Amino acid sequence: MAGVLQADLLLLQRVALFEGLDGHALEQVHQAAQRRRLSAGAVLFRQEDEAHVLYVVLEGRLRVSELTPEGHEVLLRFIEPGQPVGLMAALEGAVYPVTAQAAQSSRVLCWRREAMERLMDRHPRLARNAMRLMVGRIRELQQRVVELATERVEQRVARAILRLVRQAGKRTSEGVLLEMPLSRQDLAALTGTTLYTVSRLLNRWQEQGLVSIGRRRIVLRRPHELVALADALAE
């Protein structure tokens, strides 16, 4: 148990929500938390559920999506280890505006709203961090709206892949590896386009040698050219 506690505390030190908290404060944060394990495909919470818990991913990856009034799913983002989810809604005591689902086997820490409010009263730095993260999420959503309204599909797909690579990419001898359960349909939902269009683009990029595509993996063989492609399309 001591080893698990130490590992959790080391991870919490790297979580932006808890940035600047000392060791004693982090122990209080950890003591107030509960653990949950999620198998791949399990739903953490659904859109319109009452929001009274916020979460931080310890292991694995979550898939966050929104269902439009017309019944179309919009994939918003993937939540990586060390990132919070449900923060804004849980603190406001409203409903979750999105659905969070385990993209793979995952482990999360969770805090009920009342517990997190007490921690914020004791540690004002925690409240400031939460506000900064919420502002960042709002800016990110605003940027996504601008992209959907002004950018061509090829640029949006390139930007989405590069965004995911910045989050979870690893350099290998082949290039930059993005290894995650990301289907072509996921990429279409993430960029507001169709499965056919995404498949056509990826096949063309693979023929050109920009990427190599396998099961649950994309290798950016010439990542700088993909960056240049996105930038050139913006001009």
Side-chain angles (χ1 to χ4, degrees):
M1 290 296 294
V4 172
L5 171 61
Q6 189 61 31
D8 285 355
L9 290 176
L10 287 174
L11 186 140
L12 290 179
Q13 287 178 351
R14 301 192 295 272
V15 175
L17 179 60
F18 308 124
E19 181 180 308
L21 299 185
D22 60 26
H24 179 64
L26 285 175
E27 287 183 5
Q28 291 182 338
V29 167
H30 189 268
Q31 288 170 1
Q34 296 178 321
R35 288 184 180 79
R36 283 190 61 181
R37 289 188 178 274
L38 303 168
S39 57
V43 174
L44 184 61
F45 55 78
R46 295 187 184 277
Q47 185 174 335
E48 300 300 329
D49 283 351
E50 182 181 352
H52 51 77
V53 181
L54 66 90
Y55 304 87
V56 167
V57 178
L58 291 179
E59 296 174 0
R61 182 177 287 113
L62 302 183
R63 181 183 188 276
V64 176
S65 63
E66 182 178 1
L67 197 64
T68 70
E70 295 77 22
H72 301 298
E73 183 192 41
V74 179
L75 179 59
L76 299 176
R77 62 183 287 124
F78 286 92
I79 305 295
E80 303 290 327
Q83 295 181 337
V85 63
L87 175 63
M88 184 183 300
L91 292 180
E92 290 178 346
V95 297
Y96 293 114
V98 296
T99 294
Q101 183 178 24
Q104 61 194 75
S105 179
S106 303
R107 185 165 64 97
V108 300
L109 286 178
C110 44
W111 294 263
R112 295 190 65 83
R113 183 174 69 249
E114 297 82 1
M116 186 55 67
E117 287 175 348
R118 287 194 295 270
L119 288 167
M120 288 182 176
D121 287 341
R122 295 175 193 165
H123 309 289
R125 178 64 180 267
L126 181 55
R128 293 197 299 272
N129 290 344
M131 182 64 69
R132 177 167 48 84
L133 287 172
M134 288 190 283
V135 170
R137 288 289 171 84
I138 291 171
R139 287 176 177 168
E140 179 184 325
L141 290 173
Q142 289 174 331
Q143 180 61 35
R144 290 284 300 279
V145 170
V146 171
E147 289 177 6
L148 289 171
T150 64
E151 296 179 353
R152 292 166 51 186
V153 171
E154 190 170 10
Q155 184 182 2
R156 297 204 303 267
V157 174
R159 286 190 185 279
I161 292 175
L162 292 169
R163 189 181 294 121
L164 291 171
V165 164
R166 285 193 293 272
Q167 290 179 1
K170 300 177 182 178
R171 290 197 174 274
T172 70
S173 57
E174 300 177 85
V176 180
L177 171 65
L178 178 62
E179 193 170 22
M180 62 190 302
L182 176 72
S183 68
R184 295 188 181 199
Q185 183 59 57
D186 285 338
L187 194 53
L190 192 62
T191 54
T193 187
T194 64
L195 174 61
Y196 171 78
T197 299
V198 166
S199 295
R200 180 171 54 81
L201 283 173
L202 293 180
N203 290 340
R204 189 173 80 214
W205 289 347
Q206 184 162 239
E207 291 171 1
Q208 294 171 343
L210 270 67
V211 301
S212 176
I213 302 169
R215 187 173 182 274
R216 298 194 171 194
R217 70 196 306 266
I218 299 176
V219 178
L220 275 61
R221 294 191 176 277
R222 303 203 300 269
H224 296 298
E225 291 187 30
L226 197 63
V227 172
L229 176 62
D231 290 342
L233 287 170
E235 295 176 353

